[in-house]
Amino acid sequence: MDYLSNIKKKLSPSKDYIFGQITVFDKKLDYVYNEVLVDTRSVDDFVFKPLFGLSKNQLRHLEKYLPDCNVLILSKEQVLSFIHNGFFILFFHKIYAIELRSNLSRGISTINSEMSIGGAKDSFSEIFNESLGLIRRRIKSSHLKVLSQEIGRYTKTKVGILYLEGVCKEHLPKDIYHQLERIDIDGILDSSYLKNALEEKRSLFPTLILTERPDKCCMALLEGKIVILVDNSSYAIILPSFFFDFFHTTDDYFQKSIHTSFIRFIRLCAFFISIFTPAFYISVTTRNYSLVPLPILLILKAGRTYVPFPAYIEAFFMILCFEILKESDFRMSSTSGSSVSILGGLILGDAAVAAGIVSPIMIIIIAISSISGLIFTSIELVNAIRIYKILFLILASFFGIYGVFIGTLYMFYSILKTNVFGYPYLYFDKNEKFDSIIRISTNIKKRNSKLTDNIIRGRYQ
Amino acid sequence: MRRFLLFVFLFLLGLIFIPIPEYRELNSLSIIYKMDVFCEENGIRIILTEVIPSRGDDGISYQYERREEVGKDLSTIFHNLKNDSSKNYYFSGVQKVVTNCVNPHNILSTFKIHPKSIKYKKN
């Protein structure tokens, strides 16, 4: 068996590949599998035991008696790929691949990063088929199509492009498929690796949503969007995503319209508060005093009585401290994370003010700004807000309120000129006017006319 | 890139037409709360009342400091005060003006202030 020794040579010196031979009625059957990827107990129960029970005549028609629902006959070129996908390979006249994957999944767990009050609580797992199953369980239609491909020279990661036929525009999944085809990289370890190929690079704001919620993905599919699932990643990509999509959550559709509209308005306010508060504070305390009434100006001055640093240094110091605290809190386990938060909160909140390093108002400003920024679930949007916050702070330090105004113009200009797969990023569709910032319940549900030709979603009678 | 450069150019062009207020830390700002302006035979005498807020254990307390300035006319006094390197006077917060001058509007326009009350006081 030259071919088998060739495979052995390719897989050596790794010891997790098992090569063996069994003899049934003087016939030698070679096999190979990876003991990590294949469930060895299943090999004993479903392959070896039945093989020893076969008669000589039955052995001639081996494929009929292999006790597994997924038995394939392979060509020589496919063997290595199937070994790495958790198949047991048996050589007897032909090459048989028997699917006996070991369970390396952590199962379907609850959502960690996109909490909601109502709705489903399950989240995607690292296993592609499990994640796909969570979507198929919700959309039980043959119109849900999956275009699959493998990306990564070494990792051969399975990537699935999901769309609803008849709802999604036809060219979109194909365009994305071709775009992904052009990726030539050694490995894809997470869905975020695909961002580089799919995202609008010139915009600081995110143009795709990463989510671990299957219900959110299903909502997107029903709207005519595309969902990309990546094996070994518990996050799916939703695209194209527009500016106002980042202000929506799944909870919005589980509440009364008026409450949803209010919460969305709060999110919009939080977006602006997060970006502008530190810059506005720096402007009015260093250059544009006349913008604030005298009583407030006196309070601001009183707050800075013992502070030796200029206001912008103080602001940068506080932002830096908060970012360090946030980062350490993310990386720590939940038990030590809370101690870090308390320690950081005490030091930044009380001791720094008592020591006269920062003013109490600056703590309020940075706290309001940072907490407002954390209202969004998209980490990419939080990062964009952070960058604009610092940019505006610099502009405010140099040019006061004029700098902030010019910075705002630039921010809106960059949002307006951004395109997502040919669609404008900041786009109010007439069909979605009752589901952008405000939400009004209507009897007829419609889709975004840019995304689909199938406008009407349905009616509430 | 060309668009970005155009944006920067327009930004710098705007700086020519829109004056950027001078950078002054709030700590170093002398906030004037009240002005007493007296027109006298040989010139004008101004008494400025500065309010100094400070943060203590029981909250914010206010102290008042007075400074007298004498000059030939209002604009001379205004320029002297503006050019005083030891203090950064902030007049926009003036709430009260007490004067014996016949035309108090001259004071308002020179110092660019909008007080809540203007009291006329005879000598």
Side-chain angles (χ1 to χ4, degrees):
Chain A
M1 285 288 263
D2 280 349
Y3 176 66
L4 201 59
S5 52
N6 193 21
I7 291 178
K8 213 173 208 170
K9 203 173 162 187
K10 276 185 183 168
L11 298 178
S12 68
S14 309
K15 297 288 179 202
D16 53 335
Y17 296 99
I18 309 296
F19 291 85
Q21 198 175 57
I22 53 168
T23 311
V24 184
F25 293 110
D26 300 333
K27 301 283 181 195
K28 289 192 165 73
L29 282 76
D30 292 292
Y31 63 85
V32 56
Y33 67 95
N34 185 298
E35 67 173 349
V36 182
L37 301 174
V38 169
D39 183 18
T40 45
R41 184 176 287 180
S42 300
V43 172
D44 284 339
D45 292 345
F46 302 119
V47 182
F48 290 157
K49 276 183 192 169
L51 276 179
F52 288 122
L54 291 181
S55 65
K56 208 168 187 176
N57 195 32
Q58 283 173 326
L59 197 61
R60 283 186 202 135
H61 308 285
L62 185 62
E63 62 262 39
K64 284 185 188 170
Y65 301 100
L66 283 172
D68 193 278
C69 58
N70 196 4
V71 178
L72 303 166
I73 295 171
L74 306 181
S75 65
K76 285 181 180 176
E77 293 75 35
Q78 290 174 297
V79 171
L80 275 177
S81 150
F82 275 76
I83 291 173
H84 291 128
N85 277 309
F87 280 74
F88 179 88
I89 312 292
L90 190 68
F91 299 89
F92 183 65
H93 301 309
K94 291 174 188 169
I95 305 169
Y96 300 97
I98 306 153
E99 189 177 359
L100 294 168
R101 288 176 215 253
S102 63
N103 188 13
L104 296 176
S105 162
R106 65 181 165 97
I108 296 164
S109 52
T110 50
I111 296 152
N112 289 321
S113 61
E114 293 169 85
M115 308 307 275
S116 67
I117 300 160
K121 297 279 182 273
D122 53 347
S123 71
F124 288 128
S125 78
E126 284 77 12
I127 307 294
F128 182 88
N129 285 352
E130 274 181 13
S131 300
L132 181 60
L134 289 175
I135 291 178
R136 284 240 185 250
R137 202 169 70 178
R138 286 174 168 87
I139 302 175
K140 299 177 186 77
S141 167
S142 57
H143 289 280
L144 176 62
K145 305 288 180 192
V146 184
L147 293 175
S148 298
Q149 60 179 298
E150 281 184 352
I151 303 176
R153 287 194 297 274
Y154 298 120
T155 57
K156 306 268 185 223
T157 310
K158 190 174 179 182
V159 174
I161 301 164
L162 280 69
Y163 65 99
L164 263 185
E165 194 183 49
V167 176
C168 176
K169 282 204 171 169
E170 267 180 38
H171 69 91
L172 200 56
K174 285 174 193 162
D175 288 352
I176 291 167
Y177 187 87
H178 294 311
Q179 216 156 333
L180 292 180
E181 242 179 1
R182 287 200 291 270
I183 299 174
D184 178 28
I185 194 167
D186 54 353
I188 296 282
L189 300 176
D190 190 72
S191 51
S192 40
Y193 277 55
L194 301 178
K195 275 198 305 187
N196 254 348
L198 300 169
E199 211 169 26
E200 172 60 54
K201 289 177 189 68
R202 282 174 295 180
S203 173
L204 277 176
F205 286 102
T207 52
L208 47 87
I209 292 174
L210 280 171
T211 181
E212 57 171 354
R213 295 188 69 109
D215 53 349
K216 196 171 179 175
C217 287
C218 292
M219 280 179 187
L221 286 167
L222 292 170
E223 281 171 20
K225 293 183 180 178
I226 305 276
V227 169
I228 298 179
L229 291 177
V230 177
D231 199 17
N232 300 316
S233 172
S234 57
Y235 281 85
I237 297 172
I238 297 174
L239 70 166
S241 297
F242 304 110
F243 183 68
F244 283 110
D245 289 344
F246 293 90
F247 293 80
H248 297 180
T249 65
T250 46
D251 260 345
D252 294 356
Y253 300 93
F254 307 142
Q255 295 175 32
K256 282 192 170 184
S257 307
I258 188 161
H259 304 312
T260 302
S261 303
F262 179 73
I263 290 293
R264 283 183 184 173
F265 179 70
I266 295 289
R267 284 186 205 125
L268 191 68
C269 291
F271 173 78
F272 288 114
I273 286 171
S274 182
I275 291 178
F276 291 107
T277 322
F280 191 71
Y281 175 75
I282 295 299
S283 297
V284 299
T285 56
T286 58
R287 287 181 193 274
N288 306 89
Y289 314 104
S290 48
L291 288 175
V292 281
L294 184 69
I296 296 174
L297 193 67
L298 291 173
I299 292 169
L300 294 178
K301 193 183 174 188
R304 290 192 46 77
T305 312
Y306 307 112
V307 182
F309 305 114
Y312 60 90
I313 297 280
E314 201 188 342
F316 279 119
F317 172 72
M318 283 302 297
I319 288 174
L320 184 73
C321 286
F322 178 78
E323 292 300 333
I324 291 169
L325 198 67
K326 197 171 81 175
E327 194 62 20
S328 61
D329 207 24
F330 278 150
R331 310 291 160 216
M332 287 276 182
S333 65
S334 58
T335 42
S336 41
S338 56
S339 345
V340 169
S341 308
I342 293 164
L343 191 70
L346 278 175
I347 289 170
L348 293 178
D350 199 40
V353 174
I357 294 169
V358 286
S359 61
I361 292 168
M362 182 59 86
I363 287 186
I364 296 168
I365 295 290
I366 299 298
I368 288 175
S369 165
S370 303
I371 290 167
S372 300
L374 293 176
I375 206 168
F376 303 101
T377 51
S378 165
I379 194 75
E380 292 294 315
L381 183 64
V382 175
N383 291 342
I385 288 173
R386 180 167 54 198
I387 297 289
Y388 273 111
K389 188 198 310 188
I390 293 170
L391 184 75
F392 285 0
L393 199 59
I394 294 167
L395 285 171
S397 309
F398 282 106
F399 306 106
I401 213 76
Y402 172 70
V404 179
F405 176 70
I406 295 295
T408 311
L409 284 184
Y410 181 76
M411 185 179 81
F412 281 114
Y413 163 73
S414 71
I415 292 174
L416 282 167
K417 79 170 178 141
T418 302
N419 273 297
V420 192
F421 290 96
Y423 307 118
Y425 186 48
L426 190 72
Y427 177 68
F428 280 103
D429 187 64
K430 64 179 190 305
N431 295 327
E432 285 195 326
K433 63 188 170 192
F434 295 133
D435 194 13
S436 50
I437 285 296
I438 56 157
R439 184 168 171 257
I440 297 171
S441 287
T442 49
N443 285 340
I444 301 172
K445 295 277 167 198
K446 290 179 180 174
R447 295 189 179 93
N448 189 326
S449 62
K450 288 267 178 192
L451 288 175
T452 179
D453 298 323
N454 187 353
I455 302 290
I456 306 291
R457 283 186 75 169
R459 290 177 180 82
Y460 287 104
Q461 299 295 338
Chain B
M1 191 63 190
R2 277 169 63 190
R3 281 182 186 174
F4 181 76
L5 288 174
L6 182 72
F7 204 87
V8 172
F9 173 73
L10 290 173
F11 175 68
L12 294 173
L13 196 71
L15 286 177
I16 297 168
F17 298 106
I18 301 165
I20 305 295
E22 192 190 340
Y23 181 91
R24 284 180 296 177
E25 277 294 329
L26 202 54
N27 302 22
S28 65
L29 206 66
S30 298
I31 300 169
I32 304 301
Y33 176 73
K34 189 185 163 200
M35 282 172 72
D36 299 83
V37 184
F38 300 107
C39 295
E40 291 170 349
E41 283 176 13
N42 45 2
I44 290 175
R45 186 163 59 94
I46 290 183
I47 300 163
L48 302 170
T49 308
E50 182 191 345
V51 57
I52 305 166
S54 61
R55 182 168 51 91
D57 292 337
D58 348 311
I60 298 168
S61 58
Y62 298 96
Q63 288 177 318
Y64 296 90
E65 233 178 62
R66 287 180 149 213
R67 182 188 170 169
E68 196 174 307
E69 189 76 27
V70 182
K72 200 169 64 180
D73 53 40
L74 276 172
S75 54
T76 316
I77 295 171
F78 181 70
H79 282 291
N80 288 346
L81 290 170
K82 277 278 169 193
N83 296 331
D84 186 351
S85 57
S86 63
K87 291 267 185 184
N88 287 315
Y89 288 106
Y90 175 70
F91 294 107
S92 300
V94 171
Q95 303 286 302
K96 284 180 189 173
V97 172
V98 179
T99 181
N100 67 348
C101 301
V102 184
N103 185 11
H105 294 288
N106 200 17
I107 303 166
L108 307 187
S109 59
T110 309
F111 285 87
K112 292 169 192 153
I113 53 174
H114 307 280
K116 279 184 181 170
S117 72
I118 305 167
K119 277 188 185 169
Y120 185 75
K121 192 178 174 184
K122 283 185 181 178
N123 285 333

